[in-house]
Amino acid sequence: NNEDESEDTCTVTDQSQPSCKHVRTGQTVPIHDYVQCPTMLAREFIYCDDFRLNFINCSYNSHWKGGECEIYGYRSEILKVMICDPDWQVCDDGIDDRCFNLDGSCKVHKHRLCDGVVDCKDGIDENDSKCSHMSKIYHCKRKMGIKDALPIPHQWINDGIEDCVDGSDEKETTCGQNSTERAVLLREDAKCQNAFICPLGGFIELSDLCDGRDKCGNEQKICTLSRNTKRHDTPFVELEQSLIRKMSYCVQGIENILTLKQDKCIVKQFAFPEHDIFGLTPIDFNIPEAKQDCDFIYGESYVYTSCVNKCKNSTCLLETPPSYHDCPGQIEHRIGTIVDNSFLTFVTPLKNKKFVINKFVCDDKTKCIEYSRLCDLVQDCNDGSDEKHCTNHFACSSSQGSTLSKTYIPKSKLCDGVFDCMDLSDECNENCPKEILQSLYLKVISIGIGGLAFLANLLIVLKNIFYIRKCRTSGSLVNKAMIILISAGDFMIGLYLLLIAYEDLIVYSSSYCKRQLDWLVSNMCATIGVLSTIGSQMSLFAMTVLSMVRLHGIQGSLRVPGHINIVKVTKIISIVLAIILVSITISLLPLASGFGDYFVNGILYPNELKLFVGTTKKEAIQPVLEAYYGRMKKTTLSWKQSIQMLSEMFTNDKEYKDYSKPLADLHFYGNDGVCLFKYFVTQDDPQKAFVWAILIVNFVCFLFISFSYIVIGLISRSSSSSVAGALQNNRQLDQRNKRMNRRIAIIILTDFCCWVPFIVVCGLHFYKIFDATKWYSLFSMLILPINSVINPFLYDDLLTTLLSTLPRLYRLMFSPVMEATRRVWNMVKGYMLPSQQQSGELENVDNAETAL
């Protein structure tokens, strides 16, 4: 019709209706609604000669419906009986005729494969090889069939045939650019991202990386190396062509183990439990007589031991022998035999005409695997049935609810301090909860010692800053300056303890375990570590200088000369600045970017990369690079080289988020949750030279402080003896010497308790005599801060004076109260007692008061 024609002038005639040639008369006739969509395919029910026209825009109920597709461009439903019938091809793309003749006995449409419904008697349609490689991302409603969205095999994706009703299996977009340009199928909730570059060419999306299946070469080997996951097996000795097997425990020649265990080895025959299989040859299996803990037995040994009822806590995985038709195309030499006179199974022949069953059929019937691959901590079945019923592993929490690519680790790796699960569930569970400060007494010590050190040293600093202006000699000036530095350093230690307590109790609390990686790589952790290092080093260096000054001052020839002048003030300021500068340098040097190869303990990659769990050391990246790039010369790569080579394993398209770039470095202070200077190093640590240099310097300072105060004490005692000889019975001088000697002894003792045991422990850890890393919290909260609490009492009289005034202050405050209480009590007694008795007792009281 013309555009200017109104709607009421538009008429529908036979010529304007869809028409076709009649199937019997051959005449052109209009297609009416009532002649379309027949449910019978007999000639008398067909209207149009072109039978495809009979099924345009049809809709059937579930009883008749077989699928849907486009017919002459119209979305239409087709009958079940039309599918896989070459005489009734109606779909434009011919999808209704894409059928397979499985094993020569069952014809089924491709969309009825791997749909969870058995269409063939032996279930071969659900055991097809395509069912072993189902996409875990792409789900859709298939064209042929009436089920809702189902996963589809990988082979159907981007193969040029639309298998999904919405065509999503063929809807691709282009990601990347230039050499990284690639076609990618995207769901509505997906987007382009960087991909793994296959060593031999091609790409793998990150969602498919490390899923247990090689798609482009050896990427699973790379994943195994990067995540430290591998198959586990318990070896045994095979004799007589595998018909006799002995666990290593039962091999002759290990009599000492047999003596220790006092367990005899017996021979158990293993066939298939609880079933009678004709012609099956049993295997003789030598195992200990007593039941074993099978938590640390893997593979074939686990199967045999559990199935002969020799495991304490494990049950047999073998329940029903495989059907003869299971795993088509996967086993070349299979011989059929009967089970319990009821159904057929297959056995595998050996060279000596013996027959065994050594295959496990996955629950979904898609794969048969060797017994050696059962309970070996690697998922081989698509549904995980080869591992999910085993008791010898821990399944990472991130794997729960998923049937693909579960991660299993040995029970021995639980709570061992090393992350093996991507979600950290192996180290963060009810058996090993973790906090920054693990125990209550460490939390109390942190708050108590931290608060005391913070307040006491703050008072000393403020007092000496106020009085330093009144110094009239260089000796008193340098003494005040060093005391200020000592107290400032100890103040920082107190602040460090309080900040750690705050982060532990308020910020992280019980959530620390799951968030510990964020904390260890954080700037806050580094800042707290720098604060504690500056404080401890500044305090130690200032004590060393102060002991030197006092040693010089006690000797007449080396006494610091009298009055203050600009030169002496400049020297003192230079000493103060030097101590501060050296302390800051020691604390910040490990964080300098130019020294990353020496001080960076690891790097943290995003979980989306899927290659690494937790923080990764440089030594762990080297084998990954070798597996990808090939054999490499034995050389130590720098962090920069390692990161760059690892990044080049991925596409690195600029417009997408790059997960191959590290999130953060595990800095020098992030070796433990308390963020302490990394004193505990081993011979393999690149920081060992730096750490031991600092430890040696600190030890030398301790020796010098101890030596100085011993000499001061001896000189003081000698001088006092001379004076005492001239002045008979000088009790005041004697008491002063005793107080000084007592203070010197405390200084030496506290320094000894602080540094000597600590350095000894560092040495034992360095030579791997024992692992001291678990003691970080104890040393950082209790041992090292000892001086920070005691120094205010040793190097300044302010706190001692305050404490000495407490009894007098107590009497001043409470004496009036006590007197008033006494008088009230006397009045009460006087009122209650008889007069004579009262007068007598009052007289006694007065006499007692007079005596007092």
Side-chain angles (χ1 to χ4, degrees), residues 321-453:
S323 169
Y324 178 79
H325 296 289
D326 284 342
C327 312
Q330 298 181 35
I331 302 171
E332 295 184 4
H333 305 289
R334 67 170 72 196
I335 297 177
T337 186
I338 194 166
V339 180
D340 300 331
N341 293 322
S342 59
F343 66 94
L344 285 177
T345 187
F346 62 85
V347 293
T348 303
L350 301 178
K351 293 181 179 180
N352 53 3
K353 296 184 180 180
K354 304 292 185 180
F355 304 94
V356 296
I357 292 180
N358 57 4
K359 297 291 189 296
F360 172 81
V361 182
C362 302
D363 288 353
D364 61 2
K365 309 297 182 183
T366 60
K367 187 185 292 186
C368 289
I369 61 175
E370 304 283 345
Y371 286 167
S372 59
R373 294 166 68 183
L374 287 174
C375 303
D376 63 347
L377 310 188
V378 176
Q379 179 178 318
D380 296 288
C381 294
N382 296 325
D383 57 2
S385 55
D386 58 315
E387 300 293 330
K388 66 182 179 182
H389 299 300
C390 306
T391 61
N392 61 352
H393 62 235
F394 173 81
C396 297
S397 297
S398 57
S399 301
Q400 301 298 331
S402 171
T403 58
L404 288 169
S405 307
K406 281 191 176 181
T407 301
Y408 299 95
I409 63 172
K411 287 187 174 180
S412 59
K413 288 191 173 185
L414 276 176
C415 305
D416 64 348
V418 179
F419 295 122
D420 298 287
C421 295
M422 193 68 74
D423 64 340
L424 315 184
S425 57
D426 58 313
E427 300 299 319
C428 301
N429 53 69
E430 58 184 8
N431 296 319
C432 49
K434 190 172 184 180
E435 299 180 26
I436 296 178
L437 300 176
Q438 281 292 92
S439 60
L440 178 61
Y441 81 89
L442 284 178
K443 300 176 191 292
V444 173
I445 288 174
S446 177
I447 297 174
I449 294 181
L452 184 59

Side-chain angles (χ1 to χ4, degrees), residues 402-594:
S402 171
T403 58
L404 288 169
S405 307
K406 281 191 176 181
T407 301
Y408 299 95
I409 63 172
K411 287 187 174 180
S412 59
K413 288 191 173 185
L414 276 176
C415 305
D416 64 348
V418 179
F419 295 122
D420 298 287
C421 295
M422 193 68 74
D423 64 340
L424 315 184
S425 57
D426 58 313
E427 300 299 319
C428 301
N429 53 69
E430 58 184 8
N431 296 319
C432 49
K434 190 172 184 180
E435 299 180 26
I436 296 178
L437 300 176
Q438 281 292 92
S439 60
L440 178 61
Y441 81 89
L442 284 178
K443 300 176 191 292
V444 173
I445 288 174
S446 177
I447 297 174
I449 294 181
L452 184 59
F454 180 88
L455 294 175
N457 287 286
L458 179 61
L459 290 175
I460 301 299
V461 170
L462 295 176
K463 178 232 176 179
N464 283 277
I465 290 176
F466 178 78
Y467 282 106
I468 198 170
R469 297 176 300 175
K470 299 182 179 181
C471 293
R472 295 292 179 262
T473 64
S474 57
S476 62
L477 181 61
V478 71
N479 188 73
K480 294 291 184 185
M482 292 304 106
I483 290 177
I484 290 174
L485 283 184
I486 294 171
S487 299
D490 293 339
F491 169 81
M492 293 182 184
I493 295 296
L495 180 59
Y496 158 77
L497 295 176
L498 292 177
L499 288 174
I500 287 293
Y502 172 77
E503 296 290 339
D504 174 58
L505 297 172
I506 306 300
V507 179
Y508 289 94
S509 187
S510 59
S511 67
Y512 170 72
C513 194
K514 290 285 188 179
R515 300 165 58 194
Q516 60 183 298
L517 294 179
D518 296 333
W519 167 245
L520 294 177
V521 302
S522 68
N523 293 329
M524 185 61 181
C525 178
T527 301
I528 292 177
V530 169
L531 183 69
S532 68
T533 304
I534 293 176
S536 62
Q537 295 302 135
M538 189 165 68
S539 178
L540 180 62
F541 292 155
M543 284 191 292
T544 305
V545 173
L546 183 60
S547 64
M548 183 186 302
V549 171
R550 289 180 173 180
L551 179 62
H552 290 178
I554 202 68
Q555 300 176 5
S557 60
L558 298 177
R559 185 181 300 274
V560 178
H563 296 289
I564 298 174
N565 56 49
I566 189 64
V567 176
K568 293 175 181 178
V569 171
T570 303
K571 288 182 179 179
I572 294 173
I573 293 176
S574 299
I575 293 173
V576 170
L577 292 178
I579 291 174
I580 295 175
L581 182 61
V582 171
S583 301
I584 293 176
T585 301
I586 290 173
S587 64
L588 291 180
L589 187 63
L591 300 178
S593 58

Side-chain angles (χ1 to χ4, degrees), residues 52 68-72 78 82-86 88-100 109-111 143-144 160-163:
R52 297 179 64 201
E68 57 184 280
C69 62
E70 289 189 355
I71 303 176
Y72 286 122
I78 64 174
M82 301 173 70
I83 299 175
C84 295
D85 189 337
W88 299 96
Q89 295 182 11
V90 295
C91 297
D92 293 346
D93 55 4
I95 191 67
D96 53 326
D97 197 38
R98 293 190 176 273
C99 305
F100 298 96
H109 192 275
K110 66 176 293 189
H111 292 171
K143 286 187 174 181
M144 298 297 110
I161 301 173
E162 288 189 358
D163 297 287

